[in-house]
């Protein structure tokens, strides 16, 4: 690890000062210079110097170093959400590129510290990863490399079964209460009545029915889980008959999945924000005249949407600018929305100058899903020529499907909802009273890929050690995929038997 | 900075090699579809290892992109890596190219087929000199100047003469500071071997047959190359007459006409006598034909030649009969009849029939299992 050369250190100091003056707020930021190979190695580890041993990092390294070798890709910047923030600069990049990357990194650093979704991430991530590595190496020594590796393989096939809302504390599914009493001793609610009116106002049949209901409710409370649980990993850790080391490995995988979760939830915003700031800092402060062309080239390369590619950097930065412009000119609120005079709307400028303030607020409380939902406008889609595409099975080519605003927005939201993964819940840990695990895929129009779903079922079986089921839907038909340890089966499920938001009972379903 | 990626990378390579090994039979039969890069690597296309997840299926292959075009215009194909505007949605399986060195391939081949290591005959004491540029001298040509060492020497000298100013760190080398790369002589063992491939190119050998020969020769070549440091290959084609040809011609010529197998054996014998004295060389003879010889007399002449001349000077004579639509396959029968297993001279003879691509695997095994 090398200290920054003097020249770069001076630039770093300046950029840091400029960023602070704009109101960016970040943890201490450290830059390290590494050569391309170390950069590729670090990138394979998600930026961390140490991760637990697993071949998948080696696979990533093979891919990265090959694509570097063939000149297909080059990693420009890498930054870790940690306190202090650690970022890497590629040795041999031009001074202009180094300045650009540094400015960009301060954008990320500010975002990490201030965006609400990062609020609960472990800020000692480098230590955390290193500790995980130590733990897993110890298991490798004591348990054997092969068993540990294949268990990690298994864990990684279900590492997306976490709850994306868990950045914010959710009430536990199984809450104990000091007021828990034997249900047969619970009083049934009665209306007040005179003795002689009692059997008319509180008919005994009705009371009996109420009592039955009460007992049934209590019975359901004993169900595991009480409500559908989206954090399947946590459920397994708590209830599956795992060996201790397995439980530990699964916890590690889960902890890391949650650490990386906000990065997936805010990709567009995070990159957009960092790009907005590198652009601002570079063009207003840090560019020499002689560097303009190179800068424009680098910036345009990062922002490129060539080949119809959806580029989160580009969409992010443009949306932030779009918001800034709207709030600078007062183009928001009921007055503006209700204005039906096109000419007036086009010339709308109330000189509110709230743009900067607004984008700082947006970077604090939004994630990508809300960001797109709230700020994507028809004008924006038109200006940036957005479209939706779909696979045409006949030609086996992607074809432009639509340029309608609603469709584009819907598609984007779909991709961003639950990180583009299906919603899967544990709904019963004691299915048919046989200790079998019942998962529910909440169907929202998109079907599961059955081949991989079956593989994942096998993983779950390994953890649960009893038959596992997942209920899903193909078009209108309910399906139940099951694995009993020997064979996979697939059967159609009549509508009455299928779990739909709570097997006939009323349950609040998280969205 | 020391990183642990080497371990993970090695583990990944092992997994890949395991996969290649598992499907070795398939890869062996279709070696032509594998790219051979620079004669050192084979690149094998295989699907990336994806850990299965609960994910959306094919009917959700859609996304958002940007650019010009009207509805219905194509924006790319699913299989290509990152074109086509895949905004976070996984498309079909990706293919990655895995490079495996020929040595690794030979090793797998050896392990899978259970091939014995070859005990080379010949004079191990014949040593050749080989020069490698591993040393540094203070004399040499400008083109071999070792800049860093020169700089170091100059720096040392300047510091020791108190001639170094850290604020103006210019280093000026003088003539005695100059260092040059230089070579060292290394003795190398010289177990030399030669493979002589012979192929029947008469009218009845079609493209498919030749392709089988090509594939099989490739693997034989790969295996023997892993066993010998200096391996020579020679090629002979024959119909009614035999010619020595280069590699390209060997695999691409198409001639027609009759078949006189003995012509090839005579040619091979000439070649051995001229260039490869048997006391120093391990000689391997491989002959591929569809087994239709011109006459029974010529076959007799062939066996005569084999027994008296060729077998005594060679390690192995292997005959592969590629079956074609028109061939009668008589030569194989005659050959196996003539050289019964009990015969001492037949120890060095292997004959196999290769009816189709799948048989290549077993044929190679048959050819090389004796470890001669």
């Amino acid at each position: 690890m090398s200290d920054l050369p003097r020249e770069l250190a001076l630039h770093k100091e300046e950029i840091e000062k400029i960023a602070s003056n704009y109101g960016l707020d970040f943890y201490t930021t450290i830059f390290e210079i590494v050569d391309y190979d170390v950069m590729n190695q670090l990138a394979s580890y998600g930026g961390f110097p140490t991760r637990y041993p697993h071949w998948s990092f080696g696979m990533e390294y093979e891919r990265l170093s090959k694509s570097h070798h063939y000149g297909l890709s080059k990693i420009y910047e890498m930054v870790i959400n940690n306190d202090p923030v650690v970022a890497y600069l590629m040795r041999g990049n031009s001074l202009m590129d180094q300045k650009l990357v540094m400015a960009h990194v301060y954008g990320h650093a500010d975002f990490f510290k201030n965006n609400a979704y990062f609020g609960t991430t472990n800020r000692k991530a480098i230590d955390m990863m290193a500790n995980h590595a130590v733990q897993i190496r110890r298991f490798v020594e004591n348990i054997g490399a092969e068993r540990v590796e294949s268990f990690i393989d298994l864990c990684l096939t279900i590492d997306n079964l976490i709850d994306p809302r868990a950045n914010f504390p959710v009430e536990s599914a199984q809450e104990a209460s000091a007021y828990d009493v034997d249900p047969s001793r619970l009083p049934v609610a009665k209306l007040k009545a005179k003795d002689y009116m009692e059997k008319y106002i509180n008919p005994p049949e009705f009371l009996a029915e109420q009592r039955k209901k009460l007992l049934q409710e209590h019975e359901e409370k004993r169900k595991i889980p009480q409500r559908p649980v989206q954090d399947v990993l946590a459920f397994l850790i708590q209830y599956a008959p795992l060996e201790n080391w397995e439980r530990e490995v699964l916890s590690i995988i889960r902890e890391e999945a949650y650490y990386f979760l906000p990065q997936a939830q805010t990709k567009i915003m995070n990159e957009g924000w960092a790009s907005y700031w590198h652009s601002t800092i570079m063009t207003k402060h840090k560019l020499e005249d002689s560097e303009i062309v190179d800068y424009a080239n680098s910036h345009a390369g990062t922002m490129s949407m060539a080949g119809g590619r959806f580029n989160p950097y580009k969409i992010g930065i443009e949306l932030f600018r779009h918001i800034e412009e709207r709030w600078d000119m007062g183009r928001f609120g009921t007055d503006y929305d209700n204005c039906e005079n096109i000419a007036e709307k086009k010339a709308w400028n109330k000189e509110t100058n709230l743009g900067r303030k607004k984008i700082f607020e947006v970077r604090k409380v939004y994630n990508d899903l809300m960001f797109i939902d709230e700020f994507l406008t028809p004008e924006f889609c038109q200006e940036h020529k957005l479209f939706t595409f779909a696979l045409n099975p006949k030609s086996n080519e992607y074809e432009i499907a639509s340029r309608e605003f609603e469709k584009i927005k819907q598609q984007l939201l779909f991709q961003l909802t639950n990180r583009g993964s299906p919603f899967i819940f544990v709904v019963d840990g004691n299915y048919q009273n046989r200790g079998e695990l019942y998962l529910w895929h909440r169907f929202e129009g998109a079907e599961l890929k059955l081949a991989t779903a079956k593989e994942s079922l096998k993983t779950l079986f390994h953890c649960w050690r009893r038959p596992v089921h997942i209920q899903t839907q193909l078009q209108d038909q309910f399906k139940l995929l099951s694995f009993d340890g020997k064979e996979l089966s697939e059967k159609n499920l009549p509508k009455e038997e299928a779990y739909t938001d709570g097997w006939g009972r009323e349950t609040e379903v998280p969205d | 900075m020391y990183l642990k990626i080497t371990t993970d990378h090695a583990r990944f390579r092992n997994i890949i090699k395991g996969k290649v090994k598992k499907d070795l039979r398939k890869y062996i039969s279709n070696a032509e579809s594998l790219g051979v890069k620079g004669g050192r690597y084979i690149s094998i296309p295989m699907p990336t290892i994806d850990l299965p997840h609960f994910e959306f299926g094919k009917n959700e292959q859609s996304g958002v992109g940007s650019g010009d075009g009207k509805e219905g215009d194509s924006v790319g194909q699913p299989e290509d890596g990152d074109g086509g505007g895949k905004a976070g949605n996984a498309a079909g399986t990706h293919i990655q190219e895995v490079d495996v060195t020929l040595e690794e391939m030979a090793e797998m081949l050896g392990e899978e087929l259970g091939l014995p290591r070859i005990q080379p005959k010949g004079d191990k004491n014949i040593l050749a000199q080989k020069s490698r540029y591993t040393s540094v001298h203070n004399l040499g040509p400008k083109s071999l100047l070792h800049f860093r060492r020169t700089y170091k020497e100059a720096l040392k000298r300047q510091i020791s003469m108190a001639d170094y100013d850290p604020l103006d760190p210019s280093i000026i080398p003088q003539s005695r500071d100059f260092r040059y790369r230089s070579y060292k002589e290394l003795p190398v063992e010289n177990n030399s071997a030669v493979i002589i491939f012979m192929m029947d190119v008469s009218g009845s050998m079609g493209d498919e047959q030749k392709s089988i020969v090509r594939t099989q020769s490739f693997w034989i070549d790969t295996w023997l190359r892993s066993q010998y440091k200096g391996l020579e290959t020679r090629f002979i084609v024959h119909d009614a007459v035999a010619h020595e040809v280069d590699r390209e011609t060997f695999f691409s010529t198409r001639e027609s006409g009759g078949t006189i197998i003995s012509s090839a054996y005579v040619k091979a014998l000439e070649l051995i006598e001229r260039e490869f004295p048997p006391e120093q060389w391990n000689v391997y003879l491989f002959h591929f034909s569809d087994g239709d010889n011109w006459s029974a007399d010529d076959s007799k002449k062939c066996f005569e030649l084999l027994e008296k001349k060729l077998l005594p000077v060679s390690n192995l004579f292997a005959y592969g009969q590629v079956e074609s639509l028109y061939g009668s396959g008589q030569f194989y029968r005659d050959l196996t009849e003539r050289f019964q297993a009990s015969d001492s001279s037949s120890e060095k003879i292997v004959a196999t029939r290769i009816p189709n691509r799948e048989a290549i695997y077993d044929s190679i095994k048959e050819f090389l299992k004796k470890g001669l």
Side-chain angles (χ1 to χ4, degrees):
Chain A
M1 309 213 176
S2 45
D3 288 331
L4 282 188
R6 207 169 147 57
E7 194 182 14
L8 279 181
L10 287 175
H11 281 297
K12 183 207 157 190
E13 227 165 84
E14 269 181 51
I15 292 171
E16 194 172 305
K17 206 169 283 163
I18 296 166
S20 302
N21 288 343
Y22 274 115
L24 295 184
D25 163 38
F26 35 77
Y27 298 117
T28 313
T29 304
I30 298 169
F31 289 93
E32 275 173 27
I33 296 199
V34 296
D35 65 21
Y36 74 92
D37 189 46
V38 176
M39 190 71 130
N40 286 337
Q41 298 185 16
L42 285 162
S44 316
Y45 279 144
F48 292 91
T50 321
R51 291 292 292 276
Y52 57 82
H54 193 254
W55 56 266
S56 57
F57 302 122
M59 178 164 78
E60 185 61 10
Y61 174 69
E62 168 115 355
R63 194 183 67 76
L64 286 173
S65 51
K66 253 195 198 150
S67 87
H68 180 94
H69 190 72
Y70 297 148
L72 296 175
S73 74
K74 182 170 153 188
I75 300 165
Y76 255 92
E77 44 118 356
M78 204 160 43
V79 50
I80 310 177
N81 166 30
N82 189 65
D83 179 11
V85 172
V86 175
Y88 302 96
L89 298 173
M90 173 91 90
R91 171 166 296 146
N93 270 357
S94 70
L95 180 61
M96 189 284 300
D97 276 330
Q98 309 289 33
K99 289 194 285 188
L100 190 160
V101 170
M102 287 195 276
H104 191 89
V105 162
Y106 281 106
H108 281 308
D110 169 76
F111 198 88
F112 289 150
K113 187 172 173 187
N114 293 288
N115 182 272
Y117 289 83
F118 283 91
T120 51
T121 52
N122 188 342
R123 303 292 185 181
K124 293 289 173 202
I126 294 180
D127 296 348
M128 171 181 82
M129 296 294 178
N131 288 340
H132 288 171
V134 169
Q135 264 171 297
I136 292 202
R137 291 219 160 81
R138 191 164 300 150
F139 294 141
V140 167
E141 271 172 35
N142 297 341
I143 310 286
E146 250 168 55
R147 282 182 70 194
V148 174
E149 184 188 73
S150 55
F151 188 70
I152 295 177
D153 286 358
L154 292 178
C155 293
L156 291 177
T157 69
I158 51 171
D159 68 349
N160 60 341
L161 300 183
I162 54 175
D163 188 343
R165 302 158 308 143
N167 326 47
F168 305 102
V170 204
E171 51 185 314
S172 149
Q174 314 290 336
E175 55 216 303
S177 161
Y179 299 102
D180 277 352
V181 283
D182 183 350
S184 58
R185 290 165 64 183
L186 283 173
V188 175
K190 276 201 241 179
L191 289 171
K192 228 173 166 181
K194 293 251 165 41
D195 281 355
Y196 61 91
M197 288 296 281
E198 172 79 17
K199 67 173 176 180
Y200 300 105
I201 290 177
N202 295 311
E205 322 70 275
F206 177 76
L207 288 184
E209 207 177 296
Q210 289 300 306
R211 174 154 307 276
K212 222 172 115 191
K213 228 177 188 173
L214 208 68
L215 285 172
Q216 196 185 335
E217 249 170 47
H218 182 82
E219 195 54 37
E220 273 171 12
K221 270 197 187 144
R222 288 184 7 175
K223 274 181 78 79
I224 294 175
Q226 238 176 76
R227 279 180 225 112
V229 172
Q230 201 181 350
D231 192 341
V232 180
L233 294 189
F235 185 84
L236 290 176
I237 290 167
Q238 197 175 353
Y239 296 108
L242 295 166
E243 285 180 41
N244 282 337
W245 68 269
E246 290 179 320
R247 202 179 303 282
E248 205 53 47
V249 170
L250 193 54
S251 303
I252 285 172
I253 301 289
R254 176 171 173 271
E255 198 179 347
E256 296 192 2
Y258 273 116
Y259 170 79
F260 288 114
L261 176 65
Q263 314 210 357
Q265 285 174 313
T266 60
K267 178 83 178 160
I268 300 174
M269 285 181 74
N270 203 341
E271 292 303 353
W273 184 250
S275 300
Y276 176 92
W277 286 107
H278 84 228
S279 163
T280 307
I281 293 173
M282 289 299 279
T283 52
K284 294 204 173 146
H285 306 275
K286 291 298 295 173
L287 270 180
E288 305 290 329
D289 294 353
S290 61
E291 293 170 339
I292 298 266
V293 173
D294 286 338
Y295 168 77
N297 187 25
S298 281
H299 181 75
T302 322
M303 299 298 144
S304 163
M305 302 263 270
R309 208 160 55 92
F310 180 91
N311 184 340
Y313 290 75
K314 175 70 175 172
I315 299 299
I317 189 176
E318 293 298 345
L319 260 177
F320 270 117
R321 284 180 176 160
H322 187 65
I323 296 167
E324 188 179 23
E325 188 185 275
R326 282 174 61 199
W327 261 260
D328 272 346
M329 300 167 95
R331 295 181 172 189
F332 59 92
T334 19
D335 282 353
Y336 178 75
D337 288 343
N338 291 341
C339 171
E340 284 182 3
N341 183 334
I342 294 178
E344 195 189 322
K345 218 171 178 175
K346 221 168 192 176
W348 193 286
N349 188 354
K350 294 259 191 281
E351 297 193 6
T352 39
N353 286 329
L354 291 169
R356 212 20 94 59
K357 198 173 155 233
K358 181 66 184 175
I359 58 173
F360 269 93
E361 179 191 312
V362 169
R363 78 94 160 76
K364 193 170 184 71
V365 295
Y366 283 73
N367 66 18
D368 281 351
L369 186 65
M370 301 148 69
F371 188 58
I372 295 291
D373 192 23
E374 186 150 348
F375 299 113
L376 193 76
T377 60
E379 296 86 42
F380 184 87
C381 289
Q382 212 166 23
E383 191 187 334
H384 295 284
K385 300 179 181 171
L386 298 187
F387 58 75
T388 62
F389 62 83
L391 187 70
N392 178 346
K394 277 186 201 143
S395 61
N396 196 31
E397 278 188 6
Y398 288 115
E399 288 177 358
I400 297 179
S402 171
R403 285 188 182 276
E404 274 173 57
F405 170 64
E406 287 303 327
K407 295 245 171 81
I408 295 169
K409 186 167 164 182
Q410 197 189 356
Q411 176 68 38
L412 275 177
L413 292 183
F414 170 75
Q415 280 169 208
L416 294 168
T417 303
N418 198 27
R419 294 151 298 141
S421 293
F423 279 99
I424 288 169
F425 302 87
V426 180
V427 292
D428 199 346
N430 187 22
Y431 178 56
Q432 293 183 334
N433 203 21
R434 288 194 298 208
E436 298 176 7
L437 185 67
Y438 196 96
L439 301 184
W440 169 51
H441 164 220
R442 197 174 80 203
F443 188 71
E444 295 175 332
E447 293 167 3
L448 278 190
K449 198 184 208 169
L450 292 186
T452 54
K454 286 172 180 170
E455 287 304 309
S456 302
L457 268 187
K458 289 184 185 166
T459 303
L460 288 168
F461 176 83
H462 182 93
C463 296
W464 194 250
R465 288 171 199 168
R466 290 283 303 148
V468 285
H469 313 269
I470 183 166
Q471 174 194 321
T472 181
Q473 215 171 322
L474 294 184
Q475 289 172 347
D476 288 333
Q477 179 64 55
F478 290 103
K479 289 257 179 197
L480 190 67
L481 307 180
S482 310
F483 182 65
D484 64 1
K486 288 195 194 83
E487 52 189 300
L488 281 158
S489 61
E490 185 183 330
K491 67 168 185 186
N492 290 341
L493 213 56
K495 214 168 180 173
E496 311 80 66
E497 283 176 37
Y499 179 92
T500 43
D501 299 1
W503 266 311
R505 67 203 152 113
E506 274 170 42
T507 318
E508 39 166 335
V509 177
D511 43 24
Chain B
M1 170 161 20
Y2 169 73
L3 286 159
K4 308 222 159 57
I5 199 79
T6 24
T7 332
D8 292 331
H9 191 224
R11 177 70 192 121
F12 168 69
R13 299 278 314 167
N14 269 336
I15 292 173
I16 287 294
K17 271 194 253 167
K19 286 192 179 288
V20 173
K21 225 167 166 180
K22 220 172 105 200
D23 288 334
L24 196 66
R25 189 180 274 265
K26 188 175 94 198
Y27 293 123
I28 284 180
S29 312
N30 297 298
E32 284 174 338
S33 65
L34 313 174
V36 179
K37 283 189 200 154
R40 288 192 49 224
Y41 291 99
I42 302 183
S43 81
I44 298 173
M46 60 165 55
T48 47
I49 311 176
D50 281 327
L51 292 164
H53 280 106
F54 286 113
E55 60 196 359
F56 291 125
K58 236 193 164 120
N59 65 340
E60 277 314 311
Q61 290 192 5
S62 50
V64 173
S66 110
D68 293 317
K70 56 182 191 311
E71 283 171 25
D73 283 2
S74 164
V75 287
Q77 289 195 329
E79 257 69 40
D80 73 45
D82 49 8
K86 274 203 300 296
N89 248 341
T93 21
H94 298 275
I95 297 293
Q96 61 180 353
E97 298 238 308
V98 177
D99 289 343
V100 183
T101 61
L102 282 177
E103 289 92 67
E104 281 172 329
M105 209 65 200
E107 202 175 298
M108 278 184 229
L109 193 71
E111 271 174 43
E112 271 308 287
L113 295 176
L115 300 181
R117 303 255 143 215
I118 290 173
Q119 286 302 326
K121 69 172 183 182
D123 203 341
K124 274 199 180 167
N125 300 325
I126 298 182
L127 294 181
Q129 295 290 328
K130 203 179 168 196
S131 27
R132 298 190 62 186
Y133 279 83
T134 51
S135 136
V136 171
H137 268 255
N138 47 12
L139 285 175
K142 268 262 157 61
S143 59
L144 289 176
L145 188 64
H146 195 312
F147 285 100
R148 193 151 45 143
R149 293 289 275 267
T150 307
Y151 175 84
K152 250 188 187 167
E153 289 300 321
L155 185 64
K156 274 198 283 197
R157 181 182 47 74
Q158 261 174 256
I159 290 172
S160 63
M161 290 170 72
D163 204 9
Y164 177 75
D165 175 10
L167 295 177
D168 175 25
S170 59
I171 303 292
I172 301 148
Q174 296 178 355
S175 61
R176 60 178 163 154
D177 300 329
F178 285 108
R179 292 293 180 274
Y180 303 86
R181 283 169 215 284
S182 175
Y183 59 83
K184 261 189 184 154
E185 298 261 323
L186 287 173
V188 231
E189 267 180 30
N190 199 1
N191 305 320
S192 8
V194 60
I195 316 178
I196 300 174
F197 288 110
M198 293 170 275
M199 175 163 56
D200 179 356
V201 288
S202 64
S204 49
M205 289 282 285
D207 283 342
E208 174 67 11
Q209 280 76 25
K210 267 192 216 148
S211 158
I212 289 177
V213 172
R214 180 157 47 223
T215 307
Q216 184 149 359
S217 320
F218 172 76
W219 291 116
I220 290 167
D221 194 76
T222 303
W223 170 251
L224 289 177
R225 212 165 270 283
S226 74
Q227 302 293 311
Y228 290 102
K229 286 219 176 69
L231 185 75
E232 297 270 343
T233 31
R234 290 285 191 273
F235 302 91
I236 292 170
V237 292
H238 73 90
D239 44 13
V241 278
H243 304 278
E244 195 194 337
V245 295
D246 59 22
R247 181 182 282 267
E248 274 71 49
T249 328
F250 181 75
F251 289 121
S252 56
T253 27
R254 164 139 210 180
E255 299 191 10
S256 53
T259 314
I260 297 177
I261 293 180
S262 63
S263 66
Y265 293 177
V266 172
K267 197 83 190 169
L269 192 61
E270 275 174 34
L271 194 63
I272 295 170
E273 281 170 354
R274 193 173 68 234
E275 288 184 40
F276 306 104
E279 46 299 348
Q280 283 171 27
W281 289 83
N282 297 282
V283 179
Y284 290 85
L285 299 167
F286 291 90
H287 179 215
F288 300 95
S289 163
D290 58 2
D292 247 351
N293 206 0
W294 181 251
S295 64
D297 282 348
D298 188 63
S299 292
K300 242 180 232 146
K301 190 177 164 200
C302 288
F303 303 146
E304 200 74 2
L305 267 169
L306 276 175
E307 197 173 13
K308 297 269 154 56
K309 304 274 169 118
L310 283 174
L311 288 180
V313 299
S314 57
N315 288 32
L316 179 72
F317 173 82
Y319 172 70
Q321 184 156 294
V322 194
E323 313 228 321
S324 75
L325 234 46
Y326 316 105
S328 65
Q330 189 58 39
F331 194 74
Y332 176 83
R333 257 168 276 152
D334 293 345
L335 185 73
T336 43
E337 217 168 275
R338 175 70 178 73
F339 296 96
Q340 301 285 345
S342 52
D343 254 332
S344 64
S345 61
S346 60
E347 216 170 64
K348 292 178 178 172
I349 287 192
V350 188
T352 61
R353 272 190 290 200
I354 317 165
N356 51 37
R357 289 197 157 268
E358 280 64 51
I360 294 176
Y361 186 87
D362 296 316
S363 172
I364 295 175
K365 190 169 178 173
E366 200 62 29
F367 275 5
L368 300 173
K369 72 174 180 195
K370 285 187 180 168
L372 293 169

